[in-house]
Amino acid sequence: MVVTEPATQRAAALSKEETLVETARFAAVHAGLYTDQPASAPWLVTGAVLMAQQAAALALVSAGDGVPDQSGATELILRAASRDRLAPPYTLPLPMAGRQAFDRLVEARNMFMHPRAVAWHVSPDTLSRGLAQSTRIVRHLVLTQPVVPDLVAAHEQAQLREKLEQIDALAEFLST
């Protein structure tokens, strides 16, 4: 007789840091598929917004700030860009153009996640600028200027950098 543990005991939950890396991996996969399979665009947009949201939440919590249960992506990004929430030099630099690019990406994600009677579409310009802003957010908050040293473990940092570079490659391609 073989005794096995229930699946709930075998599967360990991912940490917030591991979840961020997995989300970046998801977005990078869809960035790689985008040119040959444009139907992957909604998933790319969803992943890019989510990874920026996760990076902001991770930074805010690490700084001792509370994150509301029902906070949206833009709200978390604005909190991370507030000197009252993240003291300099950890404060997310968010110029108006960067906020607008991210907001457009969030709008595209929302249209996909909450469909209406219109066809979903995201322009290459919106995608290019939004992806670039999402990767900037993640880089600043988690890799370049983390609130605490080694916010993400070294091996996860390497994976995250690689995935962000893949997403940036598509953003750069679309901007030309």
Side-chain angles (χ1 to χ4, degrees):
M1 175 183 202
V2 176
V3 178
T4 60
E5 296 176 357
T8 56
Q9 291 178 353
R10 287 188 307 232
L14 294 177
S15 69
K16 292 176 182 174
E17 297 82 5
E18 292 168 327
T19 301
L20 172 60
V21 173
E22 286 303 313
T23 303
R25 182 175 290 121
F26 176 84
V29 164
H30 287 284
L33 293 171
Y34 176 77
T35 55
D36 293 329
Q37 297 177 22
S40 67
W43 299 110
L44 170 58
V45 168
T46 301
V49 169
L50 182 57
M51 75 177 182
Q53 185 175 355
Q54 290 170 331
L58 188 59
L60 290 164
V61 168
S62 296
D65 191 24
V67 176
D69 290 336
Q70 296 296 319
S71 54
T74 300
E75 179 184 352
L76 288 175
I77 299 309
L78 291 176
R79 282 174 175 252
S82 169
R83 293 175 185 260
D84 295 334
R85 304 260 184 204
L86 288 180
Y90 312 113
T91 310
L92 174 66
L94 188 63
M96 185 54 74
R99 177 172 178 192
Q100 290 171 344
F102 187 74
D103 283 346
R104 285 190 196 108
L105 204 62
V106 170
E107 288 172 17
R109 189 270 322 254
N110 289 347
M111 287 187 69
F112 173 65
M113 299 302 287
H114 309 286
R116 292 172 179 74
V118 294
W120 188 87
H121 174 75
V122 64
S123 72
D125 183 59
T126 295
L127 192 54
S128 170
R129 292 175 191 223
L131 291 176
Q133 187 58 39
S134 289
T135 59
R136 275 188 217 109
I137 290 168
V138 174
R139 268 195 192 89
H140 177 81
L141 295 174
V142 178
L143 299 171
T144 306
Q145 204 64 53
V147 174
V148 294
D150 299 324
L151 182 61
V152 173
H155 72 281
E156 290 171 333
Q157 287 180 27
Q159 292 174 22
L160 191 55
R161 279 188 179 89
E162 177 187 341
K163 300 310 170 194
L164 295 176
E165 287 172 9
Q166 291 170 359
I167 296 165
D168 281 337
L170 175 63
E172 186 176 328
F173 172 76
L174 293 173
S175 71
T176 58

